[in-house]
Structures are given as structure tokens and as C-alpha cells.
Amino acid sequence: YPTVNAADFHSEPAPAPARTEPVAAKPITATDGDIQAAFSTSLRLLEQHMEAAASQGRPLSLNPTALSLYRSLMTMHRDVLTQLDGATREEARYLALQAKQDSIELARQQAAAEAAALKEKALQQQREQELLAKLQLEQKMKLIEAQELEKQEYQRALE
């Protein structure tokens, strides 16, 4: 490829870049995809014009189509960079939200595990209470039976 100088494209001094406010990040839409496709196509066309000018030995600054493509590419380049910046911010936001969602899911799982452990502990305590009540009832029944036997023996002895 021939060397391209900015002077080949501009006869007047380049205008100072306009100050722009930060653009809010937005997801890539079909329009954004169209801009990216147009950028790629324009870049390929400019390369073809550069090759043609180099093979014919003509300066690129005399080719109005190449100059127009160059200006269009400069404009689209800003748009593509803005899209890239927005996409990067959206990706960072998405990753942060995904990390929060993962931590929330982990907390839910831990809470569910703790709730299951507490439920199991409560059931175990209930089983132990029932077993203790059953043992106490059996002891009471044995005591009543022993007292009943004693009473019967006492009545036999009196007879």
C-alpha cells in the first residue's frame, strides 16, 4: 500500500474535534450492525482505491471517491468507537449484575440449607420428646402395676 498522509486528504487544516457529551451506553441494535457493516465495506473500498491509485502512480488526493470514503470512515470511526465504548460498559454492567445474581443465588442456597438443618433439628427434638414421654409413660405404668401387685398381695395377706 502507498503511504497515506493526512495532507493528501485535507487542503485546509483539520477542524478541532467537537466536544461531545458522554453517550449513554446502549445495546447494539440492527442499526449499529448496519453501521459496522458499512464501515467494513467502506474500508475495503478505500483499500481498493488506494491500490488502484498506487498501481497507476496517481496521488490519492486527486481521487474524489477515495476522499469521500476517507471522510465517511472518519465519521463512522467515531460512531464505531462510541458503540464499542457503550458495549464495553454494557458488558461490565451485565457481568456485575450476573455476579450479584450469583451471590444472591448462593445466599438463597445457604438459607435453604440452614432452614433444612433447622427443620431436621426440630424434628429430631420432637422425636426425642416423644421417646422421652413414651419412656416416662412406661415407667409410670410399671409403677402402677407394681403398686397394684403390692395392693393385691396386701389384700391376700389380709384374707
Side-chain angles (χ1 to χ4, degrees):
Y1 296 116
T3 305
V4 178
N5 296 324
D8 290 341
F9 295 105
H10 299 287
S11 56
E12 71 254 3
R19 289 199 172 243
T20 58
E21 294 300 318
V23 177
K26 62 176 183 163
I28 293 179
T29 62
T31 305
D32 296 337
D34 293 343
I35 290 172
Q36 292 170 354
F39 185 78
S40 260
T41 303
S42 295
L43 190 57
R44 280 194 302 273
L45 287 172
L46 181 61
E47 287 174 346
Q48 290 171 359
H49 282 278
M50 289 170 64
E51 289 172 358
S55 68
Q56 295 171 1
R58 293 189 330 212
L60 200 54
S61 61
L62 296 178
N63 186 335
T65 306
L67 291 173
S68 175
L69 283 170
Y70 178 77
R71 287 185 195 109
S72 295
L73 282 169
M74 288 298 109
T75 302
M76 284 190 276
H77 183 254
R78 272 186 305 225
D79 295 342
V80 170
L81 288 177
T82 301
Q83 287 177 6
L84 180 62
D85 184 47
T88 302
R89 278 191 249 125
E90 283 296 316
E91 181 182 19
R93 182 177 165 270
Y94 171 78
L95 291 174
L97 288 174
Q98 191 173 30
K100 281 183 183 180
Q101 183 180 12
D102 291 345
S103 66
I104 289 170
E105 185 60 34
L106 179 62
R108 282 184 182 158
Q109 290 173 354
Q110 289 173 344
E114 288 177 17
L118 285 174
K119 186 176 180 180
E120 181 59 35
K121 184 177 179 181
L123 286 173
Q124 182 64 28
Q125 286 177 344
Q126 182 182 0
R127 282 186 236 130
E128 288 174 0
Q129 288 291 334
E130 289 172 359
L131 181 61
L132 183 61
K134 183 179 176 182
L135 289 174
Q136 287 175 345
L137 184 60
E138 285 177 3
Q139 286 177 346
K140 191 173 184 179
M141 292 301 290
K142 285 182 183 178
L143 181 63
I144 291 174
E145 284 177 19
Q147 287 175 349
E148 192 65 32
L149 281 175
E150 218 176 87
K151 183 178 174 185
Q152 286 176 0
E153 285 178 13
Y154 178 74
Q155 284 180 351
R156 277 189 224 143
L158 284 178
E159 290 176 4

